[in-house]
Amino acid sequence: MDVSIEHSCVGEGATSIQALPPEVLFAIFKNLRMPDLASVRQTCTHWYDIVTNNRSLMNRFMLSLRNTQIYEGCTECKMLTNTRSTFEKVCLKACEIRWSPGLWWSVGNHVVELTLNECTLYDVETLINMMRSTRGTLRSLTIKSTKFNSHSLAKVPLDFRMERLHSLTFRSSFVYDELFCAFKQIGPNLKTLKLTFSSFEHGGEQLLHFVAQLRSTLEAITLSYTKVNRAILQQIGRIESLRLRKVSLKACYELKERDILDLAHTQPSIVHLNLDNLFSANEQFLRTLSAFLPQLKRIKLRVARIMNLHLSFLANLKQLNYLKITDSTHAKGNLDLSAYENPCLEKLYVSAASFSRNILPRFFERCPNIRSLTLYQCTYENIHDLQLAFSHLKGLEYLNLQRTFDIGDNFFNRDVFDTVVMPFERIRFYPIANLRKLCYLNLSHCRDLSDQTLMALSFPLLKKIDLRGLHITEAGIESMVRECPLLEYVLVDACKRICDNAVLYLCRDLRGLRLLNLEGCKAITDLSVEHIMRYCRSLVWLNVLNCPQLTVEAKKRLTTLRSLRSLHGHVDL
């Protein structure tokens, strides 16, 4: 909650600090981390004014209310009515909400993103009044797991328009026909509609009317994890003047291959298509789909037995920059990517594939601009192919090798490359440790990795690392924090040998640590809490579940950590 502290900067250095021009202070403040910027606002009125009156600084703050009863005259309403701060991002979680005009007329004129998560609204009229208050600025509305005590709109006037509202999301919610009717009138310029884990009335009749009303502006629709059927999808695809660019149908289990092909035929403008967790596509389907949608840039799908993935599918997609593919056969050599050449490809996600010898080096030689690579639970006829592939991916920033059981400590050991004889004489080995642009690394559940792997890593730009379930100790952690000093997100949950000294190295030597997952680290004691309280100044997320040696008093002490926003450990913040 925003509370201004009405006092001046004091102390011997106050005069010189106050004498700095506002533009100099702004240049300093914009480089601060969020906890430090929040502290700056409460230092003195001069600094408070500089932060509050600068939109780029205030945009970094979010107004978040949790487990609160919101009604006219409540404490939160009074505080927000009197504040000089403005918030573009507002999130209400687990709140009981009644219409409070004083609150929304004071903050509504600045809100750009509004999220209602696990809330209970007195009625739909309350939501409509909130929309009326934010109509001039709101661009994105997200409603998650939210209930309405009454959904009648019989007497609610819809006498306004939200010209800037471009994105509407319903997640894990029941979307009443009244909501579709309301937003059909007040949101004429919607570009994105997302219905995920949600259901609707009367077989989606109002959903169809809603999409038809928005046909001139709607570009993206998400129906993942809904009961959308062939009839609905067919009618959406045939709406005149509708030109969809992004479609997500993940886990829509009632849909079949012919339904997707009908949509592709009637909506050739689609460039992003998500068919993840749907049917396993065969070669004929892929050939027809790529012919209908040659402009595809992003696709996610599951495949069955494919004789030649390149000729049947990939060869037609010259502009593809993101490919996520899951092999449902687990047959060796089923995914032969070696002939595909695409310098536009930037992100690749392959799951459950079994690669034959030489496939990966040849593929990455033809697609050298990949920045994000995920090879989840894949197996390799020759693991050295994966090592060799990194010689072509010098711009790699994101690497996920989760559950790669074929790799061991020597995969990261630089000495091994002098002894391995490979047939590619003209290609120099480029070990993973030399990927200097890497920012994210996931090695979770690679069961044969130990401290030797961490001692071989040296990533000066690495910010996130996932080491869940590895047999690592304080020795590996000490080396890792020394060679990867910019780490902000560290996951070592289920690492049973992580002890208090390892936590000390993480907290003391990683000055920018923001997220730390220690769940299931059974060796840590209250001394780890002492390290966290003493050294962590930027930590916002912490998980200490299933740490049996932590006392209740130590966990309660964690709730006093000023920067912490989310604590998992059977203690409420």
Side-chain angles (χ1 to χ4, degrees):
M1 185 62 60
D2 169 61
V3 180
S4 62
I5 298 181
E6 302 291 339
H7 60 77
S8 300
C9 294
V10 294
E12 295 181 359
T15 302
S16 60
I17 294 176
Q18 286 182 319
L20 290 176
E23 56 270 19
V24 175
L25 290 172
F26 166 71
I28 297 172
F29 294 165
K30 72 178 182 180
N31 293 308
L32 295 178
R33 298 184 181 276
M34 273 305 301
D36 297 325
L37 186 60
S39 298
V40 160
R41 294 183 70 217
Q42 298 185 353
T43 300
C44 64
T45 54
H46 179 49
W47 290 4
Y48 176 85
D49 290 337
I50 291 176
V51 176
T52 302
N53 296 328
N54 188 284
R55 176 171 294 184
S56 63
L57 293 178
M58 282 303 298
N59 284 351
R60 297 174 61 187
F61 290 90
M62 174 186 289
L63 174 61
S64 180
L65 299 178
R66 297 187 178 189
N67 301 307
T68 302
Q69 291 186 350
I70 300 176
Y71 56 89
E72 186 66 12
C74 68
T75 303
E76 290 77 11
C77 291
K78 292 178 180 178
M79 295 180 68
L80 289 169
T81 302
N82 295 326
T83 185
R84 288 181 289 163
S85 300
T86 59
F87 299 94
E88 292 194 358
K89 300 176 183 178
V90 176
C91 178
L92 308 180
K93 183 172 183 180
C95 294
E96 295 183 14
I97 306 174
R98 288 176 175 264
W99 173 231
S100 49
L103 167 65
W104 291 103
W105 289 120
S106 60
V107 304
N109 290 330
H110 305 280
V111 178
V112 175
E113 298 179 16
L114 175 61
T115 300
L116 306 178
N117 189 1
E118 299 178 7
C119 293
T120 300
L121 276 69
Y122 182 70
D123 52 23
V124 174
E125 184 175 4
T126 298
L127 176 64
I128 299 301
N129 286 330
M130 292 163 61
M131 297 299 97
R132 181 182 284 107
S133 302
T134 58
R135 65 184 181 276
T137 57
L138 193 66
R139 297 180 183 178
S140 174
L141 173 64
T142 300
I143 299 176
K144 299 179 181 178
S145 306
T146 292
K147 301 178 181 179
F148 298 87
N149 290 335
S150 171
H151 59 272
S152 175
L153 277 174
K155 299 180 180 180
V156 181
L158 302 174
D159 52 357
F160 64 96
R161 296 291 181 270
M162 306 183 71
E163 302 291 344
R164 296 189 178 184
L165 184 63
H166 290 164
S167 177
L168 176 61
T169 300
F170 291 98
R171 182 178 176 87
S172 302
S173 301
F174 187 86
V175 187
Y176 296 101
D177 285 348
E178 286 82 357
L179 291 175
F180 282 129
C181 292
F183 282 101
K184 183 168 60 175
Q185 296 186 50
I186 66 177
N189 297 323
L190 274 175
K191 295 182 178 180
T192 301
L193 174 64
K194 297 180 181 180
L195 300 176
T196 307
F197 292 103
S198 298
S199 53
F200 29 78
E201 294 183 281
H202 304 122
E205 181 180 348
Q206 285 300 324
L207 169 62
L208 292 172
H209 293 324
F210 186 50
V211 174
Q213 180 72 24
L214 300 170
R215 60 185 177 274
S216 61
T217 61
L218 195 66
E219 297 179 351
I221 186 167
T222 296
L223 298 172
S224 300
Y225 295 97
T226 65
K227 293 184 178 180
V228 61
N229 53 35
R230 181 187 185 189
I232 294 177
L233 194 65
Q234 192 175 64
Q235 293 182 66
I236 289 177
R238 295 179 179 179
I239 294 176
E240 187 177 356
S241 301
L242 179 65
R243 297 294 181 266
L244 293 175
R245 292 180 56 81
K246 301 178 182 179
V247 176
S248 178
L249 300 170
K250 181 178 181 179
C252 294
Y253 299 116
E254 295 187 24
L255 298 178
K256 306 300 180 184
E257 293 184 356
R258 62 179 181 178
D259 305 326
I260 304 302
L261 293 179
D262 286 343
L263 178 68
H265 181 63
T266 56
Q267 293 290 325
S269 54
I270 295 175
V271 294
H272 291 190
L273 182 60
N274 186 352
L275 305 178
D276 208 7
N277 286 359
L278 212 55
F279 50 77
S280 295
N282 57 35
E283 198 161 0
Q284 182 178 357
F285 170 82
L286 294 177
R287 184 180 293 106
T288 307
L289 182 67
S290 61
F292 284 151
L293 302 176
Q295 307 301 317
L296 267 179
K297 294 183 178 180
R298 295 171 62 96
I299 187 167
K300 302 178 182 180
L301 75 166
R302 180 187 298 268
V303 299
R305 292 188 177 276
I306 306 296
M307 295 300 295
N308 194 318
L309 186 65
H310 173 254
L311 291 180
S312 64
F313 183 54
L314 295 177
N316 297 328
L317 305 178
K318 303 296 186 181
Q319 301 181 39
L320 199 67
N321 59 39
Y322 179 88
L323 172 63
K324 179 179 180 181
I325 191 164
T326 300
D327 186 2
S328 61
T329 63
H330 306 283
K332 182 183 298 185
N334 187 50
L335 288 184
D336 186 352
L337 303 170
S338 58
Y340 184 49
E341 183 172 357
N342 182 3
C344 296
L345 191 64
E346 295 183 350
K347 296 183 179 181
L348 176 66
Y349 186 116
V350 180
S351 176
S354 181
F355 292 105
S356 299
R357 183 182 295 269
N358 301 335
I359 294 295
L360 287 180
R362 292 171 180 171
F363 170 69
F364 290 129
E365 184 178 12
R366 292 174 170 84
C367 302
N369 296 320
I370 292 177
R371 295 185 297 106
S372 174
L373 175 63
T374 297
L375 299 172
Y376 175 78
Q377 205 167 351
C378 295
T379 57
Y380 308 86
E381 184 177 355
N382 185 356
I383 191 60
H384 296 306
D385 281 355
L386 184 56
Q387 295 170 312
L388 184 58
F390 293 124
S391 64
H392 306 291
L393 301 180
K394 298 179 182 180
L396 197 65
E397 299 174 4
Y398 179 107
L399 178 60
N400 185 348
L401 298 176
Q402 185 176 2
R403 294 187 181 276
T404 302
F405 301 137
D406 294 337
I407 63 175
D409 287 328
N410 60 356
F411 182 85
F412 300 93
N413 190 338
R414 301 176 187 179
D415 298 333
V416 75
F417 301 111
D418 296 329
T419 60
V420 175
V421 178
M422 296 291 291
F424 301 89
E425 298 179 358
R426 295 184 179 180
I427 300 179
R428 178 177 59 87
F429 273 118
Y430 197 85
I432 186 177
N434 289 333
L435 297 177
R436 310 302 291 178
K437 294 184 179 180
L438 204 64
C439 296
Y440 174 93
L441 178 62
N442 189 338
L443 301 174
S444 61
H445 303 293
C446 296
R447 56 195 178 196
D448 292 331
L449 301 184
S450 67
D451 286 337
Q452 293 184 31
T453 292
L454 298 190
M455 293 175 182
L457 301 183
S458 179
F459 301 117
L461 300 181
L462 194 68
K463 291 188 176 182
K464 301 180 180 181
I465 191 165
D466 190 339
L467 304 171
R468 285 175 291 172
L470 301 190
H471 301 290
I472 54 177
T473 68
E474 59 186 280
I477 295 294
E478 182 181 18
S479 175
M480 181 189 72
V481 298
R482 182 173 60 251
E483 299 298 329
C484 309
L486 298 184
L487 277 171
E488 297 180 0
Y489 295 73
V490 178
L491 293 87
V492 290
D493 40 318
C495 296
K496 299 179 180 180
R497 300 173 67 185
I498 290 294
C499 62
D500 294 328
N501 283 339
V503 176
L504 171 63
Y505 299 141
L506 290 170
C507 298
R508 183 190 63 192
D509 298 337
L510 298 178
R511 299 296 181 87
L513 188 63
R514 294 172 53 80
L515 179 147
L516 180 59
N517 194 337
L518 298 171
E519 181 178 357
C521 295
K522 301 182 182 300
I524 65 172
T525 68
D526 289 355
L527 185 57
S528 289
V529 173
E530 180 66 31
H531 299 326
I532 293 171
M533 297 298 298
R534 182 176 180 182
Y535 295 109
C536 292
R537 293 292 178 265
S538 302
L539 194 66
V540 297
W541 194 96
L542 176 64
N543 188 347
V544 290
L545 285 169
N546 300 322
C547 299
Q549 297 194 58
L550 292 185
T551 63
V552 174
E553 291 74 17
K555 291 182 180 180
K556 288 183 177 179
R557 190 181 175 196
L558 288 171
T559 64
T560 65
L561 187 61
R562 187 173 183 178
S563 62
L564 206 59
R565 296 293 179 267
S566 181
L567 172 61
H568 301 265
H570 301 302
V571 178
D572 295 329
L573 280 175

